[in-house]
């Protein structure tokens, strides 16, 4: 069976395209008294971007914190706040920030039209009703969250996305000028998330020509961004992120992402840095990718934290392994149908011990 997947229908790309956001939203303002809700990564409060938001009377500015990665409980609180503060269902939710803020915007738009808690929908195709119109404006590039059909959330029991066709954004606005001001380490970690998506997709057993076309182009752009000095590197990284996301949409990520989910569930390690810490231990699985990744780290003088798991007890280590090995499709993509013979519990434990 081939997957018939949906993609984001409207995309605007280019330096300064942010100035068109107000015009793009105008035809979406259809319900009398209904606001647009601007979900803004709070790092932008008091910065230029906040002043440029096309807010109209009655709109809600909703700053969100990314100190922790998005949790289902946090989504429930934000949805409750919108329900209290807005007289009617909003006409749109606009997420501005990195993967975290974009995921929060996606989750809010889904939970405004689907009853219960965000935790009820962690999984595949559990959402029943279409979301409120939602749009994304990335200010950090690499995750591919702008193009993916998931919003990754940590719930009481698991770290798992709300995967559905309704999760996809209705509109994305890719303005490379908005990437200014990202701290170098964060720029690198989130950019490497994209690089790792490409390596895992291109080396996976699920690969087809669709995924390869996007993955190869994304990898090429990552090399230009991280191994060369390019004045237009922000434009390139933004497109690399989009293409990397398109590549994994029809394939899957692999060993690094599976292990990094275990690390993140137990230690709260953020996605980009967690993927880098994990990838650095996977030379035996992705030899060429890891060699080039280390070259990129050296060029940008990035030093990864070490010894993260050294004080963890057996229970915590076992939880990590359980979370990681629970992600069967990622392992199957990496090693094929017999992956359980290749990635044993002992081997996963050993990899975690080295991190
Ligand atoms: P992030 O959104 O967590 O942001 C990282 C940090 O960068 C935050 O402190 C944020 O405030 C800051 N930041 C963002 N833009 C900035 C700017 N222009 N200037 C200065 N600082 C800025 O980081 P991320 O790596 O983009 O996203 C990681 C999140 O995305 C995780 O929660 C992860 O689970 C999720 N994710 C989602 C998908 C998906 O397909 N939905 C894919 C990969 C990762
Ligand atoms: Zn990722």
């Amino acid at each position: 069976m081939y997957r018939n997947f949906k993609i984001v229908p409207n995309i605007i790309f280019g330096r300064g395209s942010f100035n068109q956001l107000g015009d793009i939203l105008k035809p979406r303002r259809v319900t009398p008294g209904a606001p647009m809700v601007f979900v803004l990564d709070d790092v932008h409060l008091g910065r230029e971007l906040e002043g440029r938001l096309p807010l109209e009377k009655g709109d809600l500015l909703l700053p969100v914190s990314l100190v922790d990665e998005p949790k289902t409980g946090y989504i429930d609180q934000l949805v409750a706040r919108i329900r209290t503060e807005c007289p009617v269902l909003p006409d749109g939710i606009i997420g501005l920030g990195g993967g975290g803020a974009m995921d929060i915007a996606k989750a809010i738009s889904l939970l405004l039209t689907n009853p219960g808690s965000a935790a009820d929908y962690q999984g595949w195709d559990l959402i029943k009703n279409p979301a409120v119109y939602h749009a994304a404006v990335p200010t950090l590039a690499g995750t591919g969250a702008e193009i993916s059909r998931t919003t990754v959330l940590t719930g009481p029991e698991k770290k798992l996305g709300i995967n559905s066709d309704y999760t996809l954004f209705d509109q994305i606005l890719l303005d490379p000028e908005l990437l200014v001001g990202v701290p170098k380490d964060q720029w690198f970690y989130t950019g490497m998330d994209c690089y790792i998506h490409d390596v895992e997709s291109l080396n996976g057993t699920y690969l087809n020509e669709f995924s390869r076309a996007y993955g190869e182009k994304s990898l090429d752009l990552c090399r230009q961004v991280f191994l060369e000095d390019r004045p237009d590197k922000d434009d390139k990284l933004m497109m690399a992120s989009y293409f990397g996301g398109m590549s994994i949409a029809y394939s899957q990520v692999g060993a690094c992402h599976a292990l990094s989910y275990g690390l993140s569930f137990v230690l709260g390690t953020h996605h980009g840095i967690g993927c880098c810490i994990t990838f650095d231990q996977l030379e035996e699985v992705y030899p060429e990718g890891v060699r080039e990744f280390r070259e990129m780290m050296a060029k940008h003088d990035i030093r990864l934290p070490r010894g993260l798991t050294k004080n963890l007890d057996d229970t915590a280590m076992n939880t990590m392994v359980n979370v990681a090995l629970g992600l069967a499709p990622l392992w199957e993509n990496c090693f094929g149908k017999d992956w359980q013979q290749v990635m044993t519990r002992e081997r996963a434990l050993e990899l975690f011990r080295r991190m």
Side-chain angles (χ1 to χ4, degrees):
M1 260 301 256
Y2 293 104
R3 285 182 43 221
N4 178 15
F5 71 88
K6 204 177 150 195
I7 57 173
V8 171
N10 278 79
I11 302 170
I12 178 167
F13 173 86
R15 292 188 165 259
S17 59
F18 184 74
N19 293 331
Q20 288 172 243
L21 182 61
D23 289 341
I24 290 169
L25 297 180
K26 225 167 234 133
R28 302 289 170 176
R29 295 180 180 274
V30 287
T31 318
M36 284 286 168
V37 177
F38 291 84
V39 174
L40 181 69
D41 183 328
D42 65 6
V43 76
H44 293 293
L45 287 178
R47 288 203 191 171
E48 194 194 343
L49 187 66
E50 186 192 354
R52 292 175 66 200
L53 293 175
L55 285 162
E56 292 191 7
K57 193 166 168 282
D59 285 352
L60 178 66
L61 174 59
L62 192 66
V64 291
S65 165
L66 277 308
V67 173
D68 292 326
E69 291 200 331
K71 293 195 168 67
T72 52
Y74 189 43
I75 302 300
D76 296 346
Q77 276 173 33
L78 294 169
V79 170
R81 185 176 155 197
I82 294 173
R83 288 218 171 95
T84 310
E85 292 191 24
C86 299
V88 283
L89 192 68
D91 270 343
I93 309 292
I94 321 304
L96 305 101
M102 289 191 272
D103 275 0
I104 292 173
K106 286 177 174 179
I108 290 175
S109 72
L110 291 165
L111 267 295
L112 280 170
T113 53
N114 288 274
S117 160
D120 302 338
Y121 300 99
Q122 285 179 283
W124 281 269
D125 303 306
L126 302 173
I127 292 280
K128 296 283 173 290
N129 305 316
V132 169
Y133 170 87
H134 51 301
V137 181
T139 70
L140 181 58
T143 63
E146 63 277 18
I147 186 68
S148 76
R149 78 192 287 280
T150 190
T151 158
V152 182
L153 301 175
T154 304
E157 283 158 29
K158 55 198 168 197
K159 181 174 179 189
L160 183 63
I162 301 181
N163 298 265
S164 81
D165 279 351
Y166 299 127
T167 310
L168 278 160
F169 284 111
D170 297 292
Q171 168 81 55
I172 58 178
L173 187 153
L174 307 178
D175 182 344
E177 282 180 358
L178 302 182
L179 302 186
V180 293
V182 179
K184 191 184 81 173
D185 283 16
Q186 186 65 57
W187 166 79
F188 185 83
Y189 298 142
T190 303
M192 284 303 108
D193 186 21
C194 174
Y195 177 79
I196 296 166
H197 290 161
D198 301 338
V199 171
E200 294 190 307
S201 176
L202 291 168
N203 289 285
T205 61
Y206 290 1
L207 187 67
N208 62 17
E209 215 47 53
F210 182 102
S211 286
R212 190 198 307 276
Y214 281 108
E216 283 179 347
K217 185 65 202 175
S218 178
L219 193 67
D220 175 40
L221 289 165
C222 284
R223 287 180 176 140
Q224 294 179 44
V225 171
F226 292 102
L227 292 174
E228 299 170 18
D229 292 308
R230 297 270 186 160
D232 53 355
K233 63 179 181 346
D234 289 344
D235 305 55
K236 290 183 185 296
L237 188 55
M238 210 152 225
M239 283 319 297
S241 174
Y242 175 88
F243 273 52
M246 286 297 287
S247 180
I248 50 176
Y250 222 143
S251 57
Q252 187 47 278
V253 285
C256 177
H257 273 73
L259 293 168
S260 82
Y261 269 48
L263 199 68
S264 160
F265 187 81
V266 173
L267 293 171
T269 315
H270 283 222
H271 186 73
I273 189 170
C275 283
C276 288
I277 292 166
T278 308
F279 198 60
D280 199 34
Q281 300 302 333
L282 288 174
E283 205 168 359
E284 56 203 57
V285 184
Y286 305 111
E288 280 173 40
V290 173
R291 186 196 48 72
E292 193 170 52
F293 162 75
R294 290 186 183 147
E295 208 182 308
M296 291 172 175
M297 276 208 296
K299 181 169 166 61
H300 297 285
D301 200 19
I302 299 290
R303 267 154 246 211
L304 293 174
R306 304 226 169 252
L308 268 78
T309 57
K310 75 168 185 276
N311 295 324
L312 292 183
D313 60 18
D314 287 352
T315 314
M317 292 300 281
N318 276 318
T319 305
M320 244 180 214
V321 174
N322 292 343
V323 171
L325 295 186
L327 296 161
L330 283 64
W331 293 109
E332 190 181 303
N333 176 44
C334 185
F335 294 122
K337 290 222 179 306
D338 296 328
W339 66 267
Q340 275 157 316
Q341 266 124 53
V342 188
M343 187 48 66
T344 57
R345 284 192 73 84
E346 195 40 57
R347 188 172 174 196
L349 206 53
E350 179 50 33
L351 285 164
F352 279 130
R353 282 201 195 101
R354 286 195 234 149
M355 291 178 194

